Amino acid sequence: MTTLLWIIAMILVLGALAYLRVSLLTATIAAAVVMTAGWTLDVVGPISWIVFLVVALPLNISAFRQNVISRPLMKVYRGIMPEMSSTEKEAIEAGTTWWEADLFAGNPNWKKLHNYPVARLSADEQAFLDGPVEEVCRMVNQHQVSHQLADLPADVWQYLKDNGFFAMIIKKKYGGLEYSAYAQSRVLQKLAGLSSELASTVGVPNSLGPGELLQHYGTPEQQNHYLPRLAKGLEVPCFALTSPEAGSDAGSIPDFGIVCKGQWEGEEVLGMKLTWNKRYITLAPVATVLGLAFKLRDPEHLLGDKEELGITCALIPTDMEGVETGRRHFPLNCMFQNGPTHGNGVFVPLSFIIGGPKMAGQGWRMLVECLSVGRGITLPSNSAGGVKTAALATGAYARIRRQFKLPIGKLEGIEEPMARIGGNAYLMDAVTTLTTTGIDLGEKPSVISAIVKYHLTDRMQKCVIDAMDIHGGKGVCLGPNNYLGRGYQAAPIAITVEGANILTRSMIIYGQGAIRCHPYVLTEMESAFDTESGQGLANFDAAIFGHIGFATSNFIRSFWLGLTSSRFSNAPYSDKTKRYYQQMNRFSANLALLSDLAMATLGGNLKRKERISARLGDLLSQLYLASATLKRYEDEGRQTDDLPLVQWAVEDALYKLQASLDDLLDNFPMGLGGALRVVMFPFGRPLKRPSDVLDHKVAKIMQTPCESRDRLGKGQFWTNSEHNAVGIQEQTLLDIIASEPLHDKVCKASGKRLPFMWLDKVAAEGKALGVLSDDEVNLLERAEIGRMKSINVDDFDPAELRPEVVSTTSQERAA
């Protein structure tokens, strides 16, 4: 019995040490203490000590361990893991890791998350949102943009230029606004809630493009020439990366430049002949300066020994001879300026390279560094803004629209999709806030930007479909009174651009995350192929043994947290959010363990096992989305009225995580899924999707004017103005709610149960009965006008819908 108890004690001590992730030396000392106790109790003999010392001493003598253990392991490692290409190295080195690395490491530090600063707007940024952003929203008639003009009106374009909308990222010393990433996000959210054309037009110059690239890499001459002109709107920029043969695989662009001598402004200079064929380029039809990505070749070695210099970025004025722009694509009736650009043998000086000749061949690094920032702001913010507006508009419509003698929002079948919209609106706003916080702290979060691009555009598309289902015919019939239809049409655009979502999920999120976020893998890969510094073996030894300890810890953590349902793990709060933190501790450990096992069993083939990679990426992604939601709840003062939104968002994210984990275990390599299921889910899957009761609470918030509803739609364009159908409907919601007791008063006085319609007639009857004041009569009459505007759909003279009418209008504007 004593021996058994000692064995159990040894297992518990070693398990606890692994759980706590102590150093190898500390673990060895602790094991020696237990061994000594066993010697005292006469359960450990000389042979056991000899075995212990034979194992323990070599592991703690670094020189012996490196040469006898790590050197052979390094050779095996080189055979399993292929050396990274230069392109992969540049992509990996370009970004930084932030909060996602904590989630990946199996032991999130929740105090660290909540200590990140609360995102706030400066006084200038708030004034810009309340002033110019509000005003340009008033100016835009979305039906006119999408159906009549096929473009923003000329006065809107000029207003955007005059008020610095294209200069939010440009520094003040060049005449720009120099706004924070958070402020940019809030601007785009507000614009996107009204018009995807407006948001896209503003978003692109402030995302990946000439402005950002010039500020980071441009020569002083380029910066001083272009940045003030971009800030004033004297130049309209675009950036041409995508080619017919290179979409998601941007590194394979066929567009090229040849280093050569040629004539420029009457002199022979060293330059490039550029040939390109680009498509899907936003603002290309109206751009005055074209940012161009191409592969530069130097066959005559005019710049040096290398012939293939690599991807290069240059600035090309679009009025140059041979530069073709102006034609437009027609992306799903979304009328933002988007089109192709071509050039064949266009000669420009080497000084047109962004950063000058010394940056020849450095374009890929430039792009991946800047893309991680731009991709983390524009599309996620546009998606969040669209869903926030759709959430409140859908709630208002469901409260106003009646069927079966009650508001449709009270029907359980309607509550379910409404809850999805409301819960996602809360989550998506939280995610954009946390992500832009990281960017404003100086991070270049390549992994996070891929997560938010994929998941927020995906959730946006699903939410728009839910909103369309609830609105029915109201959403289907396009016109000035329809605030959903064009967004529904345009949703697949966001899914497709800046890295198609299928590719982003299956390759990019985890492909970058496994290397960047793992505490040891990148060091292992670099040191294993380091043949020059002399430190390769030592670095590999430290990394590989750290990795072994890390994997052991995550196995113990997964086992213990699964066995106890993570109830004893740390959580920063003891309220209703406590279990969410604890469950995320469990899933974080699961992710870390499964990542190591997937890499160990598949090696370099892991990146070709896209479904495995995608599901591992799902685990990391949903952890990030849920943690952002909890961070928002903390930052907003833990408003208990908002708990249904928090609970729905987190429970939905964790349920989706669990589903991906379940699928991963069903398909795990080498048949290990069954054994791992016993470790991770010893009592079955612990989580359920958000309940019907929670759906009801979220749907109620969406339909009821209150502070929680205000926070859900914070910052959007709710003004009751001529062209803002959602703003008009918001006023109608207030009028309808105020009319309900008046309707009941008239019913009681008349002795009849009047239907809740024709409220003007109800008002007249109430006035005749003497039970309504003039103000109450006016309220009912106004509510009826608003009610009919909300539930009616637009209709047109047939001639207004003929394509030639739109075409003629566009031609007249162009002329």
Side-chain angles (χ1 to χ4, degrees), residues 233-553:
L234 300 176
E235 302 278 6
V236 177
C238 70
F239 191 82
L241 174 63
T242 305
S243 302
E245 302 298 333
S248 297
D249 183 13
S252 66
I253 55 175
D255 314 284
F256 64 92
I258 304 294
V259 178
C260 61
K261 294 181 179 180
Q263 291 294 315
W264 182 257
E265 295 181 345
E267 297 182 8
E268 185 179 70
V269 299
L270 191 59
M272 310 169 285
K273 277 191 176 180
L274 304 176
T275 298
W276 71 90
N277 176 25
K278 303 287 191 178
R279 64 180 181 182
Y280 304 147
I281 311 305
T282 299
L283 296 186
V286 296
T288 61
V289 58
L290 171 69
L292 184 67
F294 54 92
K295 288 183 176 177
L296 186 60
R297 303 169 187 164
D298 185 12
E300 298 181 38
H301 301 285
L302 298 174
L303 295 180
D305 296 334
K306 291 179 65 176
E307 184 168 327
E308 298 291 336
L309 298 179
I311 294 177
T312 302
C313 297
L315 290 179
I316 314 297
T318 59
D319 60 359
M320 284 185 59
E321 184 177 353
V323 179
E324 298 180 33
T325 59
R327 293 186 64 80
R328 295 180 64 178
H329 298 312
F330 190 25
L332 293 174
N333 275 337
C334 188
M335 297 300 180
F336 65 101
Q337 291 284 344
N338 184 273
T341 175
H342 313 275
N344 187 10
V346 178
F347 180 81
V348 298
L350 287 179
S351 60
F352 279 32
I353 295 174
I354 297 176
K358 71 180 189 312
M359 295 303 289
Q362 300 297 309
W364 182 245
R365 177 170 63 85
M366 294 161 60
L367 292 175
V368 292
E369 283 184 353
C370 292
L371 182 61
S372 66
V373 175
R375 189 168 56 183
I377 300 174
T378 307
L379 286 173
S381 299
N382 289 355
S383 299
V387 173
K388 284 168 63 177
T389 295
L392 266 62
T394 302
Y397 178 78
R399 186 68 177 78
I400 295 166
R401 176 73 163 136
R402 292 189 172 226
Q403 295 283 271
F404 310 108
K405 299 182 180 180
L406 76 163
I408 63 170
K410 293 187 177 182
L411 300 172
E412 289 192 356
I414 299 293
E415 285 184 343
E416 183 178 0
M418 281 188 68
R420 289 196 292 265
I421 301 169
N424 276 302
Y426 187 92
L427 177 145
M428 293 167 73
D429 199 3
V431 170
T432 57
T433 299
L434 180 60
T435 303
T436 53
T437 295
I439 294 171
D440 285 329
L441 289 173
E443 302 293 339
K444 295 180 179 179
S446 56
V447 177
I448 287 177
S449 70
I451 289 172
V452 298
K453 187 277 170 181
Y454 165 62
H455 285 279
L456 267 61
T457 58
D458 179 70
R459 286 173 180 253
M460 174 273 296
Q461 185 182 44
K462 291 179 170 63
C463 286
V464 172
I465 291 171
D466 278 334
M468 289 288 287
D469 286 348
I470 293 168
H471 283 75
K474 168 77 172 179
V476 168
C477 294
L478 294 174
N481 207 32
N482 186 323
Y483 43 77
L484 282 178
R486 294 300 187 186
Y488 171 81
Q489 289 179 317
I493 300 172
I495 300 296
T496 301
V497 299
E498 290 193 18
N501 275 8
I502 291 175
L503 172 83
T504 302
R505 175 176 178 259
S506 62
M507 295 179 66
I508 296 177
I509 293 174
Y510 188 76
Q512 287 189 321
I515 297 175
R516 290 310 313 269
C517 297
H518 197 288
Y520 300 105
V521 166
L522 183 57
T523 303
E524 289 169 353
M525 295 179 72
E526 291 175 339
S527 58
F529 296 95
D530 180 5
T531 58
E532 298 179 2
S533 71
Q535 291 296 312
L537 179 59
N539 292 338
F540 181 81
D541 171 77
I544 198 69
F545 276 90
H547 194 159
I548 292 170
F550 178 74
T552 303
S553 172

Side-chain angles (χ1 to χ4, degrees), residues 48-117:
S48 298
W49 269 109
I50 291 171
V51 172
F52 172 75
L53 293 173
V54 166
V55 174
L57 288 176
L59 291 178
N60 285 276
I61 300 172
S62 59
F64 180 89
R65 187 181 66 218
Q66 288 177 23
N67 288 289
V68 176
I69 301 174
S70 295
R71 191 180 296 277
L73 284 176
M74 189 162 69
K75 292 180 181 179
V76 174
Y77 189 94
R78 287 172 178 167
I80 296 174
M81 299 294 291
E83 186 173 7
M84 284 191 292
S85 68
S86 59
T87 300
E88 289 174 319
K89 285 181 180 178
E90 288 176 356
I92 292 297
E93 292 170 357
T96 60
T97 57
W98 189 51
W99 171 242
E100 76 278 23
D102 283 67
L103 296 172
F104 197 97
N107 187 22
N109 183 345
W110 300 116
K111 184 177 180 180
K112 177 181 178 180
L113 172 69
H114 291 308
N115 281 342
Y116 290 134

Side-chain angles (χ1 to χ4, degrees), residues 174 214 217-229 315 351 353 355-358:
Y174 298 113
L214 279 169
Y217 308 105
T219 64
E221 293 78 12
Q222 291 170 339
Q223 292 172 341
N224 292 329
H225 174 75
Y226 277 113
L227 290 175
R229 294 178 60 79
L315 290 179
S351 60
I353 295 174
K358 71 180 189 312

Side-chain angles (χ1 to χ4, degrees), residues 160-188:
L160 294 174
K161 294 175 182 179
D162 292 343
N163 288 273
F165 279 84
F166 298 155
M168 289 192 289
I169 65 168
I170 296 177
K171 296 183 184 301
K172 290 181 179 179
K173 67 179 182 179
Y174 298 113
L177 299 178
E178 200 173 345
Y179 283 168
S180 64
Y182 177 64
Q184 294 172 48
S185 175
R186 307 312 290 189
V187 170
L188 293 176

